Amino acid sequence: MDVYLESCSSYEQAENVLPPLLKRYEGLFWKNETVWVKPNMLTTRSPEEAVTTHPTIVRGVLRFLLDLGVRPVVSDSPGVGSVKKVALACGISQVCQELGVPLIEIEGYVEKDGEVFKQLRLGDLIDQVDAVVNLPKLKTHGQMVLTLGVKNTFGCVLGLNKPAYHLRAKDYHLFADLLIDVHQLVKPVLTILDGIDGMEGNGPSHGLKKRLGLLAACENAYALDHAVASRLHVSPDKIYTLVRAKTRGLIPPYTIRGEWENSIKMPDTVGLTEIVKMPKWLQDYTHRWARVPVFDTVKCIRCKICETHCPAEAITVDDQRIDYKKCIRCYVCHELCPQDALLLKRKLLKAGGQ
Ligand code: SF4
Ligand code: SF4
């Protein structure tokens, strides 16, 4: 298995780098088959903010598929807002219009059993297409450390089911198992990672944009994620999805093609326990020094997105209160807040909670 890590210094250059990269995968597709192209469309942000997959990458992949006689459709289930609204903000709607590719709003769901989690609700589009092409964005992630190919397919779970799944899998390793179950059900035939402009620090929506200069491709997202983490000098042992994928025997042997490497600043939420090995009693103590969301009362516009999406029902916006006894530290509130009004502050919690 080859993982291609192509250096690419700008989206203008991507127009030249992408076609030969994609040409290697022509044999994966059939004329007239329907392919779901699944970018990261987290929320209504512009392409320049590096939160969503850049429209240049989406355009390049759609053109490649159209030239092969494939029928692509574009969709995702954004964290907040409709597909149409998010696609308009992140420039993907304009690309679909330009190329005459349908942009699909998923409304129904199908239930499927994963290996660890049963009855997972995925958007019903999954049963209406022949294949999925996965287009993640390279970003840090408060809970999962990095979001790459495997995490991106969680967008195939419909809107408000996502917070419910965070509650179903409170433990980070268990949540990684759930992400892997979803990924195994979606089974993308190809993953193309947009790492030209990525995000470091407190991603995946309020971190710092960083030019990382990478276009990566592989048929296997576990291999791709493992290769990218290694070349970012982030130990794959710190990435929950990779730890669980390794245990489940899902990372195939691979060869990296390309010289790209870079570095990335971790989210503040990545604790000491993830960095150094320590005895259990010390782990419990350091866990109590957790980063927790705290309201920035000046920035908050009381839209209640955080309250609606908090899986633990720990947030009351009216009196700007967070119940840390209930909080499972999934950081969904921080991810979805449109105002960056939830700060991640270190707080000493009592044993077992607040
Ligand atoms: S999502 Fe952000 S702006 Fe909206 S109520 Fe919550 S903290 Fe305030
Ligand atoms: S308060 Fe925020 S971090 Fe805590 S459970 Fe709710 S959404 Fe997750």
Side-chain angles (χ1 to χ4, degrees):
M1 172 87 40
D2 288 328
V3 180
Y4 289 92
L5 301 183
E6 302 275 358
S7 295
C8 182
S9 61
S10 68
Y11 287 101
E12 291 72 46
Q13 198 193 350
E15 290 177 13
N16 299 323
V17 175
L18 199 50
L21 182 64
L22 291 169
K23 199 165 170 44
R24 297 187 174 101
Y25 301 104
E26 278 180 355
L28 296 177
F29 302 96
W30 305 98
K31 202 171 175 189
N32 288 329
E33 70 172 347
T34 306
V35 171
W36 176 358
V37 173
K38 200 272 175 220
N40 182 323
M41 290 164 69
L42 176 63
T43 186
T44 47
R45 304 283 285 271
S46 73
E48 292 71 35
E49 293 177 89
V51 173
T52 49
T53 306
H54 198 279
T56 302
I57 307 305
V58 180
R59 183 186 290 109
V61 171
L62 291 178
R63 275 198 184 134
F64 161 73
L65 294 172
L66 289 166
D67 287 348
L68 292 176
V70 168
R71 296 179 188 160
V73 298
V74 173
S75 191
D76 191 10
S77 179
V80 182
S82 66
V83 165
K84 294 215 160 72
K85 231 170 142 180
V86 173
L88 199 62
C90 68
I92 291 175
S93 180
Q94 295 81 331
V95 170
C96 289
Q97 263 177 21
E98 174 192 325
L99 299 176
V101 170
L103 184 62
I104 311 269
E105 196 85 59
I106 309 172
E107 275 156 11
Y109 66 83
V110 285
E111 267 185 4
K112 293 184 184 282
D113 289 342
E115 196 185 311
V116 179
F117 288 86
K118 306 298 168 202
Q119 294 177 306
L120 291 167
R121 289 183 178 183
L122 305 187
D124 58 5
L125 183 61
I126 196 72
D127 280 353
Q128 295 156 22
V129 298
D130 300 297
V132 175
V133 171
N134 186 23
L135 303 185
K137 185 85 175 164
L138 197 175
K139 298 183 289 181
T140 46
H141 190 274
Q143 186 188 22
M144 290 289 107
V145 185
L146 286 179
T147 168
L148 300 164
V150 175
K151 172 77 177 61
N152 194 48
T153 47
F154 190 50
C156 299
V157 170
L158 280 194
L160 279 173
N161 284 313
K162 287 184 204 149
Y165 288 172
H166 277 279
L167 201 60
R168 214 172 146 185
K170 293 182 202 168
D171 174 87
Y172 287 10
H173 285 99
L174 207 53
F175 187 61
D177 266 325
L178 192 148
L179 294 177
I180 290 172
D181 273 0
V182 171
H183 188 78
Q184 289 297 96
L185 292 167
V186 174
K187 264 209 174 323
V189 291
L190 178 62
T191 295
I192 306 287
L193 175 76
D194 171 11
I196 298 174
D197 279 342
M199 184 174 284
E200 64 178 358
N202 291 328
S205 53
H206 299 300
L208 301 167
K209 176 175 160 179
K210 179 172 182 178
R211 173 108 345 151
L212 292 162
L214 170 70
L215 261 182
C218 187
E219 300 99 309
N220 185 297
Y222 301 104
L224 182 144
D225 290 4
H226 195 277
V228 171
S230 310
R231 286 286 178 89
L232 278 171
H233 308 286
V234 177
S235 164
D237 293 341
K238 278 189 216 159
I239 316 292
Y240 295 94
T241 45
L242 289 173
V243 172
R244 294 305 304 149
K246 189 175 167 192
T247 308
R248 290 169 67 169
L250 293 168
I251 307 175
Y254 66 85
T255 306
I256 296 179
R257 308 283 176 197
E259 300 303 316
W260 177 86
E261 63 179 311
N262 214 314
S263 62
I264 195 162
K265 184 180 174 293
M266 291 286 95
D268 293 338
T269 47
V270 172
L272 258 184
T273 38
E274 276 84 42
I275 297 165
V276 288
K277 286 202 163 70
M278 54 178 77
K280 176 88 173 62
W281 67 270
L282 194 55
Q283 266 185 41
D284 291 345
Y285 185 73
T286 56
H287 266 136
R288 286 171 52 203
W289 275 107
R291 293 270 176 182
V292 289
V294 174
F295 278 100
D296 181 327
T297 50
V298 176
K299 281 188 183 170
C300 176
I301 54 166
R302 295 180 186 252
C303 67
K304 296 201 176 181
I305 287 174
C306 56
E307 187 177 304
T308 315
H309 289 78
C310 171
E313 296 182 2
I315 302 178
T316 317
V317 170
D318 285 343
D319 47 6
Q320 295 196 319
R321 198 177 155 271
I322 298 176
D323 183 344
Y324 297 116
K325 224 173 204 162
K326 286 186 180 170
C327 174
I328 58 170
R329 290 173 226 156
C330 63
Y331 308 114
V332 166
C333 51
H334 176 260
E335 179 175 335
L336 299 183
C337 173
Q339 297 298 112
D340 196 10
L342 285 157
L343 311 170
L344 298 172
K345 290 211 168 157
R346 211 174 273 291
K347 200 169 156 76
L348 180 63
L349 305 173
K350 286 182 191 156
Q354 203 158 348

